Amino acid sequence: MTVSYEAVIGIECHVELKTATKMFCGCPNEFGGEPNTKVCPVCLGMPGALPVPNRVAIEHMIRAGLAFGAEIPAFSKFDRKNYFYPDMPKDYQISQYDMPLTLGGTVKYWLEDGTMKTCRLTRIHLEEDTGKSSHAGSGDGRIAGSAYSLVDFNRAGVPLMECVSEPEIHSAVEAVAYLEALRLTLLQLGVSDVKMEEGSLRCDANVSIRLHGAAELGTKTEIKNMNSFRSVHRAIESEIARQTALLESGGRIVQETRGWDEVRGETHSMRSKEQAHDYRYFPDPDLVPMEPLAGAVERVTASIPELPWRRFERFTAEYGINPKQATQLVATGALATYFDRVVELTKRPQQVTNFVLGDLSRLANESGVPIAQSKVLPEALAELIALLEAKTINSKIAKDLLERMWAEGGSPASLVDSLGLAQTSDVGVIEKFVDDAIAANPKVVADYRAGKSNVAGFLVGQIMKASSGKADPALVKDLLLKKLA
Amino acid sequence: MALENDPIERSAADIARDVNAGTISASEVVEGTLAHVDAVDARVGAYLTILHDAARERAANVDARVRSGERLPLAGVPLAVKDNMCLTATRTTCGSRILEHWIAPYTATAVARMLEAGCVPIGKTNLDEFAMGSSCENSALGITRNPYDLSRVPGGSSGGSAAAVAAREAAIGLGSDTGGSIREPGAFCNLIGFKPTYGRISRYGLIAFASSLDQIGPLTRTVEDAALAYDAMAGHDPMDATSIDRPVEPAAASLRRDLHGLRIGLVREFDTEKLGPDVDKAYDRAYAELKALGADLVEVSLPTADYGLATYYLIAPAECSSNLSRFDGVRYGLRVDADDVQAMYERTRAAGFGSEVKRRILIGTHALSSGYYDAYYVRAQKARTLIARDFETAFASCDLIACPAASSPAFAFNAKSDPYSMYMMDYYTIPMSLAGLPALSVPCGWVTPAGGVEPMPLGLQLCAPLFAEPLLLGAAHAYERATMHAVKHLPLVVSGARA
Ligand SMILES: [Zn+2]
């Protein structure tokens, strides 16, 4: 008999907030730089220095909380989390313990086939980032065997949002989809750059497995060192497989932290002696409780755009766009807004999708200019689609026009007028082109008449070319076939 | 008796007036002060660092500002700064081995404001290590003696600043008060020791002992000088989130001549009998003097004040256990090397901290530990709220509260060797600290302690409601001027120098 297991996964994210300055001092909040150049007495934990909270970071938290449907309590405070660590300047981290800025909330995400999923959040809270240690003399950068260690405090004090999900995710695919939705939401809210490669998004996964239908959770392991969504996917798959094999061979899962090894494609035990830390949380006496959040909530609410998951739902359900294309359309807020506007003007969602994800995306990629910031305004694209619908132009002309509009802007209707690009449906004119083509290509005509019907396409091409693309292709084909018959 | 014409005898107010008027330069004042410091400080031990060069440079700067037409409220006033406040490019030790050679990279807001007002820093003064103590004996870096009897302590923790001002080695001393650390040395050294409302003066650059209690304030020889210092330092600082953002009413303009119309509360639970017969009588005389100045004496009750000491010795150590974590040998200060970082932490902190600091870190760590947090820290916070509420109730029936500033006059070195008897020195000052209230100590008489030969000063503590600093200083001024207790004896190092 084969038993089947269900994976239970919770994701813990640390997201660096996008602010001009650090959480509690005036140092710039920027990635990189020469070590220890973006520091001051406050973020170095110098004696006597005091923290002053960054209001923008607090508003970002409220923005994220509201976006996830969290409750924003009227009272919140900062606490100190006490433990010694060389990259933590004060040997305590200013964090939030029992009264975070937001309570609860849910992340809505979707799978490739369009299925909507939800995952509740255990908590989102605000804290300060630590510095970064590096170890020299051991050859591999590890602390074991190193001669000395260096600490860079440029990152110390950067505002950090911790976002912990409930264990409600059941596969590696879901985990990545969850992270993608979280990333998109935070990006479009403007609260973070969420770049995994720069560490502004970092995540760990708690993974356990249990028999299908079992009520109790299995023993979990915490997976660290995942540096991309791809490695999250691989690491979780690998860990589920490891745990499954272990249980099936009669083994026992040990609660531990495991590191993901990208090269070997497996997790390895990092810390087996899990000593329970007593962080001695207590309210930070250097900071006063935050009360006047009501005004901020109103102000922030007004600034929240339509969220990616909601757009995805609307584009698939209302517009009938397929999930893959809808996912591409919601990838940036500005693109989705652009798309929405053109649909509003044309009522032709699929045609707009084709333009936006087709020719316009190609032009955007080639030029490096995002569609929403290009010279092709939504009104102009809508006009182009209307011209096409009205058969004033054909799709070939539309394509050419779009290139021209991308380079120079302008209204397609006026371009059609000034360049004389309007489609010709005048039978007399087209008949002349058809006759000319038949006369000029006797061999092709003979082939056609001998039964090679596919050569008609060549003749159509010749006729279109002769009309500078303006002839109505349907009419051309109609007349040609009649004459060849 | 005070020698009115000797520059070092003059009050800060007099010095500023003369420097602004051009009758004396800041440089002359400072040269005189430095010469006096060089003559007497070997005996007093007020300073850990004497800033000869910086003082001269600063004095020249003040003179230039005055010459250019600026009028500075504290022009040329020699300032002693407790060595737990940062002054840029200057050694700032906290009286501890762990910071013995640390050079501050920035200046504390309160110090910067005093300098901006025209003060000249003469030096950094001794203190109990990290401001933990009531006698200055916990300093790892030096002994400070009481200028009125060199065999006795100056009080603490701001003992160095108090001794400096008492010995005329500065006109104003900056202290910090967490549970009485300005008021008690003020009383021991015949000074005004003034702790404003919590949050009135920025803590930015004050090396924290207990963040929710620490407050900077002046030690001066006159109430007027305390008011001038307060006016220079008070006010919101964007660098300190706990500093209060509300307008400051200048105190120097509120000094009054009598106490008519004021109700002064005497605390029923503060039984002065345990102070001993002489001290007891001295306080009874002080209360009578308040009445003679026109005050209505009323009895008030602070039923929870007796829990002050226990409450304080949970909250203050809890905060200090976290505040002092940063002294870990990684970034600055003492480092005792070891094979790994954990061992380095342990060896550094074992060597760097003195026993009282270690005791409080241990108490505080325990009080915050999981399983004990609710029983200790949370209950202490509740008690603190109740104590503050008692004061609110008391202030419904009085304008000021009067009580002793310390449990005894200055005692001899090594007289309080068990921690508890030392903690008891702050019995009368801790409740006000827990409630965040403004309070000061003003000289109120002299006693010759048993076994002593010199008369030692006593301090009367006056306490006002939150933000009522002008009322508090105004009343203290009336009392000081009417009684003239402070000028009845000169410190030995001053009178002896002239004998
Ligand atoms: Zn900084």
Side-chain angles (χ1 to χ4, degrees):
Chain A
M1 174 189 114
T2 46
V3 286
S4 89
Y5 291 97
E6 175 192 50
V8 180
I9 301 159
I11 305 278
E12 188 179 316
C13 288
H14 284 94
V15 179
E16 287 180 353
L17 299 180
K18 195 162 96 183
T19 53
T21 55
K22 291 186 182 180
M23 186 58 225
F24 296 110
C25 66
C27 291
N29 172 12
E30 291 161 357
F31 176 71
E34 280 295 301
N36 298 312
T37 53
K38 292 165 188 176
V39 293
C40 73
V42 176
C43 58
L44 283 177
M46 284 287 173
L50 295 173
V52 177
N54 182 330
R55 282 173 188 280
V56 176
I58 291 169
E59 289 201 3
H60 278 347
M61 290 296 291
I62 294 171
R63 193 167 284 124
L66 289 171
F68 295 127
E71 184 197 331
I72 312 296
F75 180 95
S76 177
K77 66 180 170 75
F78 287 107
D79 300 282
R80 290 186 184 176
K81 181 181 184 180
N82 293 284
Y83 63 102
F84 280 80
Y85 209 80
D87 63 17
M88 203 166 56
K90 302 182 292 297
D91 289 295
Y92 61 79
Q93 181 187 31
I94 304 176
S95 182
Q96 297 199 283
Y97 183 53
D98 54 349
M99 291 177 160
L101 279 156
T102 76
L103 296 171
T106 302
V107 174
K108 299 203 177 178
Y109 63 99
W110 62 92
L111 305 180
E112 232 175 56
D113 65 359
T115 315
M116 294 302 301
K117 291 265 178 182
T118 61
C119 178
R120 285 175 301 155
L121 294 174
T122 312
R123 61 186 293 139
I124 319 177
H125 73 241
L126 181 56
E127 58 190 30
E128 54 178 343
D129 210 342
T130 60
K132 268 190 240 177
S133 303
S134 53
H135 310 290
S138 61
D140 60 357
R142 292 201 186 179
I143 191 164
S146 61
Y148 58 92
S149 301
L150 298 166
V151 193
D152 174 9
F153 291 103
N154 283 352
R155 198 181 71 178
V158 163
L160 198 61
M161 178 177 97
E162 182 173 309
C163 176
V164 183
S165 88
E166 289 285 297
E168 295 180 345
I169 292 166
H170 298 293
S171 70
V173 167
E174 284 184 11
V176 171
Y178 164 87
L179 280 168
E180 185 58 46
L182 188 76
R183 189 187 73 82
L184 272 187
T185 304
L186 298 174
L187 188 69
Q188 293 185 19
L189 288 172
V191 306
S192 174
D193 291 333
V194 274
K195 289 182 183 160
M196 271 188 112
E197 66 277 16
E198 290 185 1
S200 59
L201 170 63
R202 311 196 281 271
C203 65
D204 304 330
N206 286 306
V207 178
S208 66
I209 59 171
R210 64 181 169 192
L211 286 176
H212 260 295
E216 266 183 43
L217 290 170
T219 304
K220 68 179 177 189
T221 57
E222 188 179 1
I223 315 300
K224 288 187 178 293
N225 298 346
M226 300 177 293
N227 301 319
S228 64
F229 284 3
R230 196 176 112 83
S231 61
V232 169
H233 186 271
R234 291 178 68 206
I236 291 174
E237 292 261 273
S238 146
E239 180 60 13
I240 292 171
R242 187 190 71 87
Q243 291 189 13
T244 306
L246 194 59
L247 287 191
E248 283 182 343
S249 66
R252 202 174 60 84
I253 313 284
V254 182
Q255 182 161 349
E256 62 182 349
T257 300
R258 298 181 67 85
W260 168 244
D261 186 325
E262 190 73 48
V263 178
R264 306 174 68 162
E266 59 187 31
T267 63
H268 58 266
S269 181
M270 285 172 83
R271 271 175 250 154
S272 50
K273 45 162 193 172
E274 280 291 299
Q275 60 190 93
H277 259 295
D278 182 354
Y279 291 117
R280 291 174 282 118
Y281 281 102
F282 75 108
D284 192 329
D286 286 333
L287 293 161
V288 288
M290 293 169 276
E291 281 180 79
L293 296 183
V297 168
E298 276 167 32
R299 195 168 57 250
V300 165
T301 304
S303 74
I304 293 181
E306 188 182 23
L307 299 173
W309 69 267
R310 205 182 283 281
R311 278 186 165 139
F312 176 84
E313 234 177 15
R314 197 159 53 78
F315 291 178
T316 49
E318 283 179 30
Y319 295 167
I321 309 294
N322 73 47
K324 188 170 175 230
Q325 289 187 319
T327 301
Q328 288 175 280
L329 287 170
V330 302
T332 56
L335 181 68
T337 305
Y338 179 95
F339 169 78
D340 247 339
R341 173 79 183 129
V342 186
V343 171
E344 189 185 28
L345 293 167
T346 60
K347 317 286 180 215
R348 303 253 177 238
Q350 193 55 54
Q351 208 158 359
V352 179
T353 304
N354 295 345
F355 267 111
V356 166
L357 297 182
D359 289 322
L360 282 175
S361 286
R362 178 181 51 80
L363 290 165
N365 284 340
E366 286 166 7
S367 63
V369 177
I371 295 170
Q373 285 164 35
S374 75
K375 291 178 180 164
V376 182
L377 303 178
E379 292 71 19
L381 180 60
E383 203 173 281
L384 187 74
I385 289 170
L387 289 169
L388 201 56
E389 285 295 306
K391 295 197 195 300
T392 308
I393 55 171
N394 60 45
S395 57
K396 171 68 176 62
I397 296 284
K399 227 175 165 60
D400 294 345
L401 267 179
L402 203 55
E403 301 259 0
R404 191 181 271 269
M405 287 156 65
W406 185 271
E408 293 159 21
S411 135
S414 358
L415 283 172
V416 165
D417 278 352
S418 63
L419 301 172
L421 296 177
Q423 179 163 272
T424 299
S425 305
D426 183 323
V427 177
V429 173
I430 295 175
E431 210 164 11
K432 170 86 173 49
F433 287 126
V434 172
D435 292 342
D436 289 352
I438 288 172
N441 296 286
K443 179 158 185 333
V444 179
V445 171
D447 284 350
Y448 179 84
R449 289 189 173 139
K452 285 192 178 173
S453 56
N454 59 341
V455 299
F458 173 76
L459 291 171
V460 171
Q462 294 297 303
I463 296 162
M464 290 304 293
K465 203 170 167 185
S467 76
S468 307
K470 291 189 287 186
D472 177 346
L475 201 54
V476 167
K477 200 170 177 195
D478 201 38
L479 281 171
L480 177 68
L481 295 185
K482 254 185 221 160
K483 294 205 177 236
L484 289 175
Chain B
M1 285 293 112
L3 306 170
E4 293 295 333
N5 295 323
D6 188 331
I8 62 160
E9 267 312 311
R10 278 186 289 190
S11 70
D14 290 343
I15 293 168
R17 193 193 55 233
D18 292 352
V19 171
N20 280 320
T23 56
I24 190 169
S25 69
S27 299
E28 288 171 286
V29 173
V30 166
E31 287 305 334
T33 304
L34 287 172
H36 179 63
V37 169
D38 291 340
V40 305
D41 203 55
R43 279 179 290 157
V44 178
Y47 289 105
L48 292 173
T49 306
I50 301 170
L51 301 166
H52 291 95
D53 295 343
R56 289 182 173 121
E57 202 177 302
R58 191 39 81 165
N61 176 267
V62 169
D63 285 330
R65 286 172 72 188
V66 169
R67 271 198 308 276
S68 75
E70 272 193 80
R71 289 295 167 265
L72 306 170
L74 295 168
V77 172
L79 180 71
V81 180
K82 187 178 183 179
D83 211 16
N84 60 352
M85 292 173 217
C86 293
L87 175 59
T88 191
T90 304
R91 192 172 79 120
T92 299
T93 67
C94 280
S96 180
R97 292 265 170 245
I98 212 155
L99 283 180
E100 189 174 358
H101 305 293
W102 184 64
I103 307 295
Y106 69 105
T107 299
T109 300
V111 177
R113 289 186 180 179
M114 289 298 273
L115 300 186
E116 181 55 31
C119 281
V120 176
I122 300 300
K124 305 293 295 287
T125 58
N126 199 15
L127 67 158
D128 288 295
E129 187 177 3
F130 284 99
M132 298 177 198
S134 308
S135 68
C136 245
E137 291 167 290
N138 291 336
S139 172
L141 304 181
I143 293 168
T144 302
R145 299 176 183 280
N146 192 310
Y148 288 88
D149 180 344
L150 297 173
S151 70
R152 291 177 183 273
V153 302
S157 63
S158 310
S161 282
V165 177
R168 279 59 174 167
E169 297 181 64
I172 298 177
L174 290 186
S176 65
D177 189 313
T178 307
S181 278
I182 292 175
R183 290 161 285 167
E184 186 243 28
F188 282 15
C189 292
N190 190 30
L191 302 172
I192 310 300
F194 173 36
K195 179 201 96 76
T197 303
Y198 178 79
R200 254 312 185 202
I201 294 176
S202 169
R203 294 185 296 114
Y204 187 73
L206 167 68
I207 301 176
F209 157 22
S211 313
S212 74
L213 293 154
D214 294 344
Q215 186 56 203
I216 290 174
L219 286 141
T220 57
R221 293 195 298 273
T222 69
V223 175
E224 185 185 13
D225 286 358
L228 287 170
Y230 170 78
D231 288 347
M233 291 188 286
H236 181 243
D237 175 12
M239 297 299 281
D240 176 1
T242 62
S243 88
I244 287 153
D245 192 0
R246 78 183 242 179
V248 180
E249 190 190 330
S254 314
L255 304 182
R256 49 193 288 167
R257 300 194 154 275
D258 59 48
L259 303 176
H260 283 295
L262 283 185
R263 296 164 301 164
I264 296 184
L266 302 180
V267 182
R268 182 191 307 152
E269 292 80 4
F270 285 174
D271 167 15
T272 53
E273 270 171 36
K274 60 185 162 219
L275 298 174
D278 291 347
V279 176
D280 186 11
K281 275 195 214 92
Y283 282 110
D284 286 344
R285 275 198 302 276
Y287 301 148
E289 287 165 344
L290 294 172
K291 192 172 160 73
L293 277 163
D296 283 334
L297 298 185
V298 297
E299 189 184 71
V300 295
S301 175
L302 297 173
T304 55
D306 202 35
Y307 296 103
L309 209 63
T311 303
Y312 177 89
Y313 277 100
L314 287 169
I315 292 172
E319 292 180 8
C320 106
S321 72
S322 174
N323 284 333
L324 269 58
S325 293
R326 67 186 66 189
F327 304 105
D328 59 5
V330 173
R331 281 145 295 123
Y332 47 73
L334 181 73
R335 175 191 292 173
V336 182
D337 275 316
D339 287 343
D340 62 53
V341 72
Q342 187 64 36
M344 187 277 284
Y345 288 154
E346 288 168 11
R347 291 171 64 175
T348 297
R349 290 165 66 83
F353 290 137
S355 60
E356 182 60 28
V357 171
K358 286 175 186 161
R359 183 187 344 269
R360 296 197 195 187
I361 289 174
L362 286 172
I363 292 170
T365 302
H366 184 66
L368 291 175
S369 304
S370 115
Y372 297 95
Y373 180 78
D374 289 338
Y376 290 138
Y377 185 78
V378 172
R379 287 185 80 185
Q381 289 294 3
K382 286 179 181 164
R384 183 176 186 173
T385 304
L386 293 178
I387 290 167
R389 216 172 277 166
D390 275 0
F391 275 103
E392 267 176 51
T393 309
F395 280 125
S397 56
C398 68
D399 302 300
L400 294 170
I401 287 172
C403 65
S407 301
S408 80
F411 47 86
F413 287 98
N414 303 315
K416 311 276 178 193
S417 47
D418 76 295
Y420 187 71
S421 65
M422 186 71 87
Y423 297 170
M424 277 303 288
M425 289 314 297
D426 296 330
Y427 179 84
Y428 296 103
T429 48
I430 277 175
M432 293 73 175
S433 292
L434 289 167
L437 297 168
L440 58 73
S441 155
V442 54
C444 69
W446 299 80
V447 291
T448 304
V453 287
E454 302 294 338
M456 296 305 290
L458 290 173
L460 174 70
Q461 183 179 202
L462 294 174
C463 168
L466 294 171
F467 308 112
E469 283 89 352
L471 171 71
L472 177 64
L473 289 161
H477 178 76
Y479 179 79
E480 167 196 62
R481 286 303 157 109
T483 60
M484 300 295 276
H485 288 297
V487 296
K488 283 174 188 152
H489 299 276
L490 271 180
L492 294 176
V493 288
V494 176
S495 58
R498 287 185 174 69

